[in-house]
């Protein structure tokens, strides 16, 4: 299960963003997660559904999530990491608990108040530099991991030498508690020479600087982060956005106005407007006429909609909120895969097409997809579109081996 962590200081718009991401805004399929903690919620990653590719839009019937005209909302777990404050790594507030919650996340979305109208504690101000918030969050995570590692470093080195372990094996034991597997830690160690241009020394020779550099490499692969520069329509936001992009040119950065997204979805729910999330298109009864079935709007709502169009939608192309989960999926290289029982009708045996969809990392072998869905069963063969045989080690990508039918060998379950 992919988990996206939402982080941000108070008053940055995190709760509003969470509300907009978790509102599927229409009769979605059955709730996909049997147990939801208070700080977890279901968001919907919107993808191009395979049904449009094969002309099955009318028959597409997701068990979970939704599909509207070939646009599919795939459920994804969101983790609301609240309570982070400066010096959380020292235990301030509920810092240790919420930093520990981060270990569940595969990716972070950092909601940043780009207007500069809230200080580090979320209190109203003017002229605050939001760059500090980005640096603060990264430093909190860094100090937390580094502190945990340094507390026992002498004994770690001693055991490493005594057991003649590799750096990978030793770090797997130390960093495994952050929900990091051997592959992820290996990727972090491989990143060190890429970043520093020099080989990584033997672990027993690591000094303080080397350990810190390794921790930062680990952070890069464990906590890839999307920056949501919220309140983008505020007059002071432009200069702050430019500053952040210049400082972090390689970061996934999305400009957002979450309060605008919530406002538009609420009006759409109340039938005052037709609104397609992720676009600039908002229509009222003035635009579509009485035959649209939309309610009449008063001057107050009309003026507010015009302001939203001018300051947000026409200027930026959308509120940006829909793009947040898409950006996270890109960072994680996630692609949707559609397992079906009948490769000709694309059904799962009980009516409707493309009932199931799961997210996997691009390049995953199809046999791994089978294991993820069905566990340890014996697969007789695997079929793709048209009944074409697919090899177990063939990999998945968008439009490639992403519609699959797994045939189980007799007695194989």
């Amino acid at each position: 299960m992919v988990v996206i962590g939402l982080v941000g200081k108070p008053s940055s718009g995190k709760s509003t963003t969470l509300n907009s991401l978790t509102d599927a805004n229409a009769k979605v399929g059955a709730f996909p997660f049997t147990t939801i903690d208070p700080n977890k919620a279901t968001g919907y990653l919107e993808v191009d559904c395979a049904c449009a590719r094969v002309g099955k839009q009318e028959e597409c019937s997701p068990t979970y999530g939704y599909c509207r005209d070939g646009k599919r909302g795939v459920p994804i777990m969101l983790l609301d990491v609240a309570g982070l404050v400066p010096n959380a790594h020292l235990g301030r507030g509920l810092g240790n608990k919420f930093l520990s919650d981060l270990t569940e996340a595969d990716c972070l979305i950092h909601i940043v108040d780009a207007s500069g109208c809230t200080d580090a504690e979320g209190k109203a101000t003017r002229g605050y530099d939001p760059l500090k918030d980005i640096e603060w969050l990264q430093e909190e995570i860094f100090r937390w991991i580094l502190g945990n590692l340094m507390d026992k470093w002498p004994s770690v080195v001693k055991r490493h030498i005594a057991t003649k372990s590799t750096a990978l094996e030793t770090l797997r034991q130390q960093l495994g508690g952050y929900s990091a597997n051997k592959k992820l830690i290996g990727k972090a160690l491989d990143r060190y020479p890429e970043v520093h241009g020099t080989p990584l020394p033997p672990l027993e020779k690591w000094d303080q600087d080397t350990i810190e550099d390794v921790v930062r490499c680990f952070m890069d692969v464990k906590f890839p982060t999307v920056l949501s520069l919220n309140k983008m329509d505020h007059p002071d936001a432009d200069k702050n956005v430019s500053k952040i992009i210049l400082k972090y040119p390689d970061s996934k950065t999305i400009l957002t106005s979450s309060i605008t997204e919530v406002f538009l979805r609420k009006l759409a729910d109340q039938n005052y407007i037709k609104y397609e999330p992720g676009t600039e298109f908002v229509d009222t009864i003035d635009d579509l006429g009485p035959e649209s079935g939309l309610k009449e709007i008063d001057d107050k709502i009309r003026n507010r909609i015009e302001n939203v169009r001018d300051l947000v939608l026409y200027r930026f192309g959308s509120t940006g909120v829909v793009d947040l989960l898409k950006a996270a999926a890109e960072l994680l290289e996630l692609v949707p895969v559609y397992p079906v029982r009948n490769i000709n009708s694309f059904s799962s045996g009980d009516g409707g097409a493309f009932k199931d969809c799961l997210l996997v990392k691009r390049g995953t072998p199809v046999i791994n997809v089978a294991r993820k869905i069905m566990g340890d069963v014996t697969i007789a063969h695997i079929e793709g579109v048209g009944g074409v045989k697919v090899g177990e080690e063939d990999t998945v990508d968008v439009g490639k081996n992403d519609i699959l039918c797994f045939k189980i060998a007799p007695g194989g379950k």
Side-chain angles (χ1 to χ4, degrees):
M1 176 60 60
V2 176
V3 179
I4 308 296
L6 264 66
V7 295
K9 70 184 182 185
S11 301
S12 61
K14 183 164 66 71
S15 296
T16 309
T17 301
L18 181 68
N19 289 339
S20 63
L21 287 174
T22 56
D23 173 20
N25 194 28
K27 305 176 171 79
V28 301
F31 205 67
F33 308 122
T34 55
T35 304
I36 297 290
D37 295 331
N39 62 335
K40 290 180 181 175
T42 306
Y44 297 87
L45 170 66
E46 197 155 279
V47 300
D48 292 327
C49 186
C51 69
R53 209 187 310 158
V54 296
K56 292 283 185 178
Q57 294 96 316
E58 294 298 320
E59 298 167 54
C60 191
S61 179
T63 302
Y64 304 128
Y66 60 88
C67 187
R68 308 186 194 111
D69 300 320
K71 294 292 183 182
R72 187 170 186 128
V74 183
I76 196 166
M77 184 74 82
L78 298 179
L79 176 67
D80 180 12
V81 185
L84 283 176
V85 293
N87 290 321
H89 71 281
L90 298 176
R92 185 170 175 230
L94 295 175
N96 286 329
K97 177 189 182 303
F98 289 113
L99 282 168
S100 295
D101 287 345
L102 281 179
T103 62
E104 287 188 64
D106 300 291
C107 178
L108 302 181
I109 295 176
H110 185 185
I111 314 300
V112 179
D113 179 358
S115 73
C117 288
T118 50
D119 63 17
E121 303 285 345
K123 297 173 184 174
T125 187
R126 285 297 297 270
Y128 178 80
D129 186 354
L131 263 177
K132 295 177 182 177
D133 294 335
I134 301 171
E135 293 163 353
W136 155 72
L137 179 71
Q138 292 180 338
E139 193 66 11
E140 285 299 326
I141 297 173
F142 169 72
R143 291 294 167 193
W144 171 56
I145 298 172
L146 181 67
N148 291 339
L149 195 58
M150 294 307 296
D151 282 346
K152 49 193 172 183
W153 188 250
S155 61
V156 168
V157 174
K158 187 175 180 180
R159 191 181 310 113
H160 173 78
I161 295 171
T163 58
K164 299 182 179 178
S165 300
T166 63
L168 175 58
E169 181 57 32
T170 294
L171 282 189
R172 187 194 64 77
Q173 295 175 16
Q174 301 307 315
L175 300 177
Y178 301 96
S179 299
N181 57 29
K182 194 172 181 178
K183 183 177 180 181
L184 188 147
I185 295 169
K187 189 175 178 181
L189 294 178
D190 290 342
R191 184 169 172 74
Y192 181 94
E194 294 173 6
V195 172
H196 299 283
T198 58
L200 182 64
L203 184 141
E204 62 271 18
K205 294 183 179 179
W206 290 3
D207 57 15
Q208 181 74 22
D209 289 341
T210 304
I211 297 170
E212 292 185 6
D213 291 339
V214 168
V215 169
R216 293 199 185 277
C217 288
F218 174 70
M219 283 175 55
D220 288 343
V221 298
K222 170 56 188 165
F223 299 111
T225 301
V226 176
L227 296 178
S228 170
L229 305 188
N230 198 31
K231 307 180 188 179
M232 63 184 179
D233 48 323
H234 189 279
D236 293 344
D238 279 353
K239 67 177 187 295
N240 291 327
V241 166
S242 298
K243 187 189 302 183
I244 291 168
I245 291 175
L246 281 172
K247 180 73 181 288
Y248 298 98
D250 298 326
S251 294
K252 280 276 187 187
T253 305
I254 307 294
L255 306 187
T256 60
S257 177
S258 58
I259 196 168
T260 299
E261 181 72 15
V262 169
F263 168 67
L264 292 174
R265 291 194 184 200
K266 186 177 291 185
L267 287 184
D269 284 345
Q270 296 170 349
N271 202 37
Y272 284 111
I273 63 171
K274 286 192 181 300
Y275 170 56
E276 186 178 341
T279 74
E280 64 186 72
F281 303 116
V282 173
D283 293 308
T284 67
I285 193 171
D286 298 343
D287 305 304
L288 302 179
E291 62 274 16
S292 65
L294 293 174
K295 295 179 182 177
E296 294 283 350
I297 56 175
D298 59 29
D299 286 341
K300 183 178 180 181
I301 293 178
R302 184 178 289 107
N303 290 336
R304 195 166 171 195
I305 290 172
E306 284 306 310
N307 284 335
V308 163
R309 283 170 168 161
D310 292 341
L311 298 177
V312 179
L313 300 180
Y314 295 158
R315 185 179 175 201
F316 298 100
S318 77
T319 67
V321 171
V322 169
D323 294 325
L324 288 175
L325 291 185
K326 290 181 180 178
E330 288 175 10
L331 273 182
L332 295 173
E333 300 183 79
L334 299 179
V335 297
V337 175
Y338 306 85
V340 298
R341 289 188 184 175
N342 188 315
I343 200 63
N344 298 310
S345 65
F346 307 106
S347 69
S348 294
D350 52 354
F354 297 109
K355 297 183 74 68
D356 299 311
C357 178
L358 71 156
L359 299 169
V360 302
K361 187 177 177 64
R362 176 181 285 108
T364 298
V366 295
I367 189 61
N368 291 9
V369 177
R371 296 281 177 262
K372 188 170 185 177
I373 297 168
M374 297 180 292
D376 191 17
V377 298
T378 303
I379 305 293
H381 63 273
I382 304 167
E383 296 177 350
V385 176
V388 175
K389 294 291 189 295
V390 177
E392 291 187 351
E393 297 306 317
D394 288 349
T395 57
V396 301
D397 204 337
V398 176
K400 175 193 170 189
N401 300 327
D402 60 347
I403 303 174
L404 297 167
C405 178
F406 302 105
K407 300 295 185 181
I408 300 174
K413 190 170 183 178

